[in-house]
């Protein structure tokens, strides 16, 4: 039996939004079960509000299910072992507006386990490869999406 990269078993996630006259609830994912075999490429398609981002955040351990189980390579997504094997770049990543490109790359490099000279070299290489070197002094708020 091959290991699954991702498995969802009866997963549910409901968002609670405070309101003046009492909270409202929105169920993003209900009784979701599926498996993605290791080495398989999978896409999520659906309308806005269908739960695609919620699923990705559950896989990354950024959200926790209200019911059911999520596993990444057999581990809980919140654990270091699972997090070290998953990457996620949202459509609109958030950075404080004053951050400069190298600082953002440094942050992601540290998340990837880099440090010291290896981190510095990786940031420099990424700046060069993406053509950001001439824009190093800009703040991320000055860049387009």
């Amino acid at each position: 039996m091959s290991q699954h990269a991702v498995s969802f078993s009866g997963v549910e996630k409901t968002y609670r939004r405070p309101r003046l006259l009492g909270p409202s609830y929105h169920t993003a994912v209900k009784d979701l079960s599926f498996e993605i075999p290791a080495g398989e490429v999978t896409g999520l398609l659906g309308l806005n509000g269908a739960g695609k981002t919620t699923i990705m955040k559950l896989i990354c351990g950024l959200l926790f299910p209200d019911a059911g189980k999520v596993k990444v390579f057999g581990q809980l997504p919140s654990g270091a072992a699972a997090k070290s094997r998953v990457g996620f770049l949202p459509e609109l990543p958030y950075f404080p507006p004053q951050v400069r490109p190298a600082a953002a790359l440094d942050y992601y490099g540290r998340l990837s386990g880099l440090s010291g000279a290896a981190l510095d070299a990786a940031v420099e290489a990424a700046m060069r490869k993406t053509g950001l070197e001439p824009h190093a002094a800009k703040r991320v708020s000055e860049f387009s999406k």
Side-chain angles (χ1 to χ4, degrees):
M1 178 167 93
S2 92
Q3 186 180 39
H4 292 104
V6 174
S7 70
F8 275 53
S9 177
V11 173
E12 297 190 13
K13 180 64 184 172
T14 299
Y15 294 96
R16 179 184 185 272
R17 295 190 177 106
R19 301 274 192 226
L20 184 60
L21 299 174
S24 69
Y25 297 89
H26 171 73
T27 300
V29 176
K30 184 174 178 84
D31 195 27
L32 180 63
S33 298
F34 67 91
E35 296 171 336
I36 301 173
E40 183 119 346
V41 175
T42 303
L44 296 174
L45 301 174
L47 299 172
N48 289 345
K52 301 176 301 290
T53 300
T54 297
I55 291 168
M56 292 304 300
K57 288 181 177 181
L58 288 163
I59 291 170
C60 292
L62 299 172
L63 289 178
F64 302 96
D66 298 321
K69 295 243 188 265
V70 177
K71 295 284 181 93
V72 176
F73 293 102
Q75 306 290 319
L76 292 175
S78 57
K83 286 184 184 290
S84 71
R85 299 185 73 179
V86 174
F88 174 57
L89 180 61
E91 180 181 5
L92 296 171
Y94 173 77
F95 297 103
Q98 73 278 7
V99 169
R100 303 196 190 285
L105 290 168
D106 184 89
Y107 172 76
Y108 282 113
R110 289 179 191 281
L111 281 177
S112 298
L114 296 175
S115 63
L119 175 60
D120 294 341
V123 168
E124 184 179 317
M127 292 286 290
R128 185 174 49 256
K129 187 174 186 175
T130 59
L132 284 172
E133 287 176 312
H135 309 284
K138 289 183 178 178
R139 300 178 195 301
V140 295
S141 60
E142 298 175 59
F143 291 95
S144 69
K145 181 177 167 184

